[in-house]
Each structure stands twice: as structure tokens, then as C-alpha cells.
């Protein structure tokens, strides 16, 4: 995604966010639809229980709407929603004590619906399998940070705030993860470039 397109998208999100804060139900609905899939996908990294993910999203949306007038302007709507959802999901998971937090960063780490047709292609499927295999060898924290950095396109500072760790720690974790992926560097680099385009 080009910088100008990202900037335009960010401005549109800011406008929707500010309209929602002012009580615009249409803007709230648009924001909900726009980020729903992102939140579901991120939730799937922590639990395979879709009902818990759905409940957490619904609870978050209700809280956002009820507190809309007290919400502040945000630098990144996506970052704010990811952080708020992560907190809500953990609260929801704690109410279902029988269901453990899975940290389920499996081979769907970088999948989304736009990949469906590509995965049918044997060459892509082969690359995807190699990338997934390499990623599976990383610790869960490294996989989560790579997911946030390369799939959700969050900055190091945003990831640090989201995970409540220092930015330098995020940079160090990314560096260690990339060092571990070095053996398959010629496969990983084009794939990461592709998902970030």
C-alpha cells in the first residue's frame, strides 16, 4: 500500500471516528464493518473459540458506543481498536476459565480472504507452507509481534503500547525473530513484501 493511499485511508478513518464520537450511528456502523474482520483475525491468534471472539467484539462495540462522548481523538483508529479489543478479549477469556488462552499463532498467521485464490496456486501454496513452517519455530511472542508489525502494519511504538513493553524490546524481539528466519530469507522477504503491499 502506497504512503498516499495509507494517508487517505487514515484520514477517512479519523473522519469516521470523529463522527462516531459525535453520535453518528452510520459512522459507527462503517467503522464496525471496516475493522470487524481485522479484530476477528487478531482474536483467532489467541483462541480458536469463535463465540468468545464474537462476544468480545460485541462487548467492545457496546462499550465504545456507550462511551463515545468521552472518547478522545486518536492518532490511529486501527491501533486503538486493536488495543481495546485485545484487552476486552482477555477479560472475556478470563470469564471462561475452562477455556485456556491458547496463543494460537498457527499456520494462518498471514492469511486473509484475498489469499484464497492465490493459495489455490501450487507455487504460492509451496511458499506459504515454507513460511508457515519457519514461523511455527518462533516463540508465540515473536509471532505476535511479527503479525502486528507486518500484517497489521503497526509501528514499533504502537506495538510497545499495545503489549505494554518498551519499544526497544519490540525492536529486539523483531530482530531476534528475523535472525531465526534467516535460513529461509530468500522466501520470507518476498512474502513479507507481498503481504505489506
Amino acid at each position: 500500500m502506497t504512503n498516499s493511499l495509507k494517508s487517505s485511508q487514515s484520514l477517512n478513518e479519523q473522519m469516521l471516528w470523529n463522527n462516531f464520537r459525535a453520535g453518528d450511528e452510520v459512522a459507527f456502523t462503517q467503522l464496525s464493518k471496516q475493522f470487524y474482520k481485522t479484530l476477528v483475525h487478531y482474536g483467532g491468534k489467541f483462541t480458536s473459540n469463535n463465540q468468545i471472539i464474537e462476544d468480545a467484539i460485541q462487548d467492545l462495540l457496546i462499550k465504545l458506543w456507550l462511551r463515545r462522548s468521552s472518547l478522545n481523538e486518536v492518532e490511529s483508529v486501527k491501533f486503538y481498536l486493536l488495543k481495546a479489543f485485545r484487552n476486552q478479549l482477555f477479560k472475556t477469556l478470563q470469564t471462561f476459565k475452562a477455556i485456556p488462552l491458547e496463543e494460537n499463532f498457527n499456520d494462518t498467521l498471514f492469511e486473509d480472504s484475498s489469499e484464497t485464490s492465490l493459495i489455490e496456486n501450487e507455487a504460492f501454496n509451496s511458499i506459504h507452507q515454507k513460511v508457515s513452517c519457519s514461523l511455527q519455530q518462533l516463540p508465540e511472542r515473536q509471532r505476535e509481534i511479527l503479525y502486528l508489525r507486518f500484517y497489521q502494519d503497526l509501528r514499533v511504538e504502537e506495538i510497545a503500547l499495545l503489549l505494554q513493553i518498551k519499544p526497544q524490546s519490540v525492536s529486539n524481539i523483531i530482530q531476534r525473530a528475523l535472525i531465526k528466519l534467516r535460513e529461509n530469507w530468500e522466501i520470507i522477504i518476498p512474502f513479507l513484501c507481498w503481504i505489506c503491499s
Side-chain angles (χ1 to χ4, degrees), residues 118-187:
L118 291 173
I119 290 176
E120 294 172 3
N121 180 289
E122 286 185 23
F124 180 84
N125 200 23
S126 174
I127 292 172
H128 183 266
Q129 188 175 12
K130 289 174 183 176
V131 170
S132 296
C133 182
S134 297
L135 289 169
Q136 277 301 308
Q137 296 172 17
L138 299 177
E140 285 87 356
R141 177 55 68 111
Q142 289 183 6
R143 280 181 272 171
E144 180 179 9
I145 288 176
L146 287 181
Y147 168 83
L148 292 169
R149 179 67 190 94
F150 294 108
Y151 186 88
Q152 294 300 342
D153 202 26
L154 295 186
R155 299 189 317 271
V156 167
E157 294 78 13
E158 291 176 323
I159 296 170
L161 282 172
L162 180 62
L163 302 182
Q164 297 181 336
I165 59 178
K166 294 180 180 179
Q168 186 58 51
S169 297
V170 173
S171 297
N172 292 344
I173 290 169
I174 291 172
Q175 187 65 26
R176 283 196 298 270
L178 293 179
I179 287 171
K180 288 186 179 180
L181 293 172
R182 186 170 50 197
E183 291 179 4
N184 293 319
W185 204 239
E186 72 283 358
I187 295 170

Side-chain angles (χ1 to χ4, degrees), residues 108-122:
T108 62
L109 183 62
F110 292 116
E111 288 183 10
D112 67 9
S113 62
S114 66
E115 292 181 354
T116 304
S117 60
L118 291 173
I119 290 176
E120 294 172 3
N121 180 289
E122 286 185 23

Side-chain angles (χ1 to χ4, degrees), residues 14 20 28 31 50 52 57 66 73 81 99 114 125 133 147 169-170 172 180 187 193:
Q14 291 287 342
F20 146 64
F28 179 63
L31 278 173
N50 291 330
I52 290 179
I57 291 173
L66 293 175
E73 285 191 41
L81 292 177
I99 303 169
S114 66
N125 200 23
C133 182
Y147 168 83
S169 297
V170 173
N172 292 344
K180 288 186 179 180
I187 295 170
C193 290

Side-chain angles (χ1 to χ4, degrees), residues 40-50 53 86 89-90 93 99-111 135-136 138-141 143-144 147:
V40 168
H41 194 267
Y42 188 40
K45 305 307 166 191
F46 300 100
T47 178
S48 57
N49 189 315
N50 291 330
I53 294 170
R86 189 179 198 268
L89 179 61
F90 285 5
L93 282 165
I99 303 169
L101 179 63
E102 295 179 13
E103 295 282 349
N104 187 24
F105 287 83
N106 56 27
D107 64 353
T108 62
L109 183 62
F110 292 116
E111 288 183 10
L135 289 169
Q136 277 301 308
L138 299 177
E140 285 87 356
R141 177 55 68 111
R143 280 181 272 171
E144 180 179 9
Y147 168 83

